[in-house]
Amino acid sequence: MAVSLCKKIFQTAKKRIIQQRRVSLYNVAHGYEEELIKKKLQQFAGGSINLSKEDNGIGILTVNNPQLMNAFTGTMMLELQEKVAELENWKDGKGLIICGAGNTFCSGSDLNTVKAIPNSQDGMNMCMFMQNTLTRLMRLPLISVALIQGKAIGGGAELTTACDFRLMTPGSEIRFVHKHMGLVPGWGGGARLVRIVGSGAALRLLSGALKVDPERALHLGLSEETLLSPEESGSLEEARAWLSQYTEGPASVIRAAKQVVTAGRELPLEDALRTEKDIFGTVWGGPANLQALVRRPKHK
Ligand SMILES: CCC(=O)SCCNC(=O)CCNC(=O)[C@H](O)C(C)(C)COP(=O)(O)OP(=O)(O)OC[C@H]1O[C@@H](n2cnc3c(N)ncnc32)[C@H](O)[C@@H]1OP(=O)(O)O
């Protein structure tokens, strides 16, 4: 009886945590018409979003449209949503590296796609679609890192802010160029940038459309580290090594750590504390916890 009650409480808590992660920001009540915008985006094809899931629990997500400096076409936006859904269901995952193909990160939305959806309602629908996807990406129970080689421009700069961390290669650049396009960020990059660098620095970066090189990014706290290698495979190896400091150990514990931080980052304190309690319940008495109690490690 007591065991089945505990099991029920555990399952309810688990369900609540998963639901919090997948909940959509926008629905019809907000004027969001997902099927309509998906149909529209389908018309603008090109490039791809590639995902490889490695045995060590690290996923590599590549923005792949090198002819256009990895600009996001409509079908790439749709593919990103699919890959995020796949990652949500990857129970062995611990970390994620997001990078671009061909030695550059991403030049934002494909200007050909953007030109073809000029009215404000369609623009907002696209923006709601991308905000939904990037919010789900940010809430994945994986420790995520944007590996910035070359340029992260416009929506590409916004994409970097949906990751927990950013690593930059020598000579790379993050730039919110929206002002020069008569725009502001719309993929959630403005709100996330404020939380990363603070409102003053965010306002300077957006209103000045400033180029952020690796040195400036480190100074602002936008980047964690400048990697040594400027080229694709060397920098990916370095990013893997950097990430492994945080992903070593059992998936259940690493994922729980990310979930606790997500709750702390997003929820009012009391809700965050309750969620932390629920997540704690998923690891307390679990295999990693029991093994540690047997080993009795000393943390010197
Ligand atoms: C969410 C809202 C947004 O994302 S607004 C921001 C949209 N993005 C932009 O405005 C970026 C425009 N592109 C640029 O500023 C430059 O191409 C950057 C990215 C700095 C790269 O310069 P550079 O290294 O000299 O390469 P390049 O200009 O020769 O580019 C190679 C080919 O790629 C193309 N390209 C680049 N970015 C985009 C884009 N976002 N949409 C469509 N095409 C793009 C360039 O036009 C160029 O093509 P082509 O060789 O001239 O045919």
Side-chain angles (χ1 to χ4, degrees):
M1 176 77 172
V3 174
S4 91
L5 186 66
C6 276
K7 250 190 188 161
K8 210 165 165 194
I9 293 171
F10 176 75
Q11 289 303 341
T12 313
K14 201 168 166 192
K15 219 158 136 192
R16 189 141 54 97
I17 295 164
I18 291 170
Q19 273 165 359
Q20 272 162 355
R21 230 167 55 216
R22 294 187 184 176
V23 75
S24 243
L25 281 179
Y26 299 111
N27 54 45
V28 279
H30 304 99
Y32 176 51
E33 297 178 80
E34 177 154 317
E35 287 317 309
L36 207 78
I37 190 65
K38 278 174 124 175
K39 233 185 214 164
K40 200 147 257 178
L41 292 174
Q42 195 67 56
Q43 295 165 17
F44 304 100
S48 62
I49 302 292
N50 304 337
L51 174 63
S52 71
K53 291 182 284 187
E54 300 177 349
D55 291 343
N56 58 2
I58 304 301
I60 311 285
L61 189 81
T62 307
V63 182
N64 178 45
N65 192 10
Q67 296 90 329
L68 302 185
M69 307 295 284
N70 299 327
F72 262 88
T73 61
T75 52
M76 286 167 73
M77 292 183 198
L78 296 171
E79 272 186 48
L80 181 66
Q81 187 195 49
E82 286 165 19
K83 302 300 182 200
V84 168
E86 189 177 335
L87 287 166
E88 283 170 341
N89 292 317
W90 187 29
K91 300 293 175 260
D92 300 325
K94 299 196 271 184
L96 180 69
I97 298 175
I98 303 188
C99 55
N103 290 311
T104 193
F105 188 74
C106 169
S107 65
S109 46
D110 171 14
L111 296 172
N112 308 306
T113 304
V114 170
K115 231 171 34 198
I117 42 174
N119 79 68
S120 169
Q121 189 54 48
D122 284 345
M124 283 199 291
N125 255 325
M126 187 264 283
C127 147
M128 288 189 271
F129 180 85
M130 286 303 283
Q131 281 195 14
N132 272 347
T133 304
L134 293 181
T135 302
R136 285 168 63 185
L137 174 68
M138 189 178 71
R139 289 177 178 164
L140 287 170
L142 307 173
I143 301 179
S144 57
V145 183
L147 164 55
I148 300 143
Q149 259 197 300
K151 295 186 194 303
I153 301 280
E158 294 194 61
L159 173 61
T160 72
T161 63
C163 292
D164 298 312
F165 302 109
R166 285 144 292 282
L167 298 172
M168 295 179 76
T169 62
S172 63
E173 170 188 313
I174 300 175
R175 191 172 182 196
F176 293 83
V177 296
H178 304 72
K179 165 186 153 172
H180 293 317
M181 302 301 294
L183 291 172
V184 291
W187 295 0
R192 291 188 298 266
L193 185 65
V194 169
R195 281 159 177 75
I196 298 167
V197 300
S199 56
L203 189 55
R204 285 200 306 271
L205 296 188
L206 298 187
S207 60
L210 304 180
K211 286 186 187 179
V212 184
D213 63 18
E215 197 184 348
R216 188 178 214 158
L218 277 178
H219 176 71
L220 289 170
L222 186 56
S223 163
E224 296 300 309
E225 206 166 294
T226 305
L227 303 177
L228 296 172
S229 174
E231 57 83 33
E232 205 167 321
S233 65
S235 60
L236 185 57
E237 268 325 297
E238 282 187 71
R240 274 197 181 98
W242 186 88
L243 183 56
S244 71
Q245 302 173 82
Y246 307 105
T247 53
E248 229 140 70
S252 56
V253 178
I254 309 297
R255 292 164 70 88
K258 169 67 188 277
Q259 287 170 312
V260 165
V261 171
T262 300
R265 180 166 61 193
E266 294 193 9
L267 299 175
L269 183 62
E270 289 188 5
D271 293 339
L273 291 172
R274 285 190 195 102
T275 304
E276 185 171 312
K277 178 263 298 168
D278 289 343
I279 297 164
F280 180 78
T282 68
V283 286
W284 178 263
N289 179 224
L290 295 179
Q291 281 162 21
L293 290 173
V294 171
R295 274 200 328 272
R296 293 178 65 108
K298 291 203 190 294
H299 312 284
K300 288 183 182 172

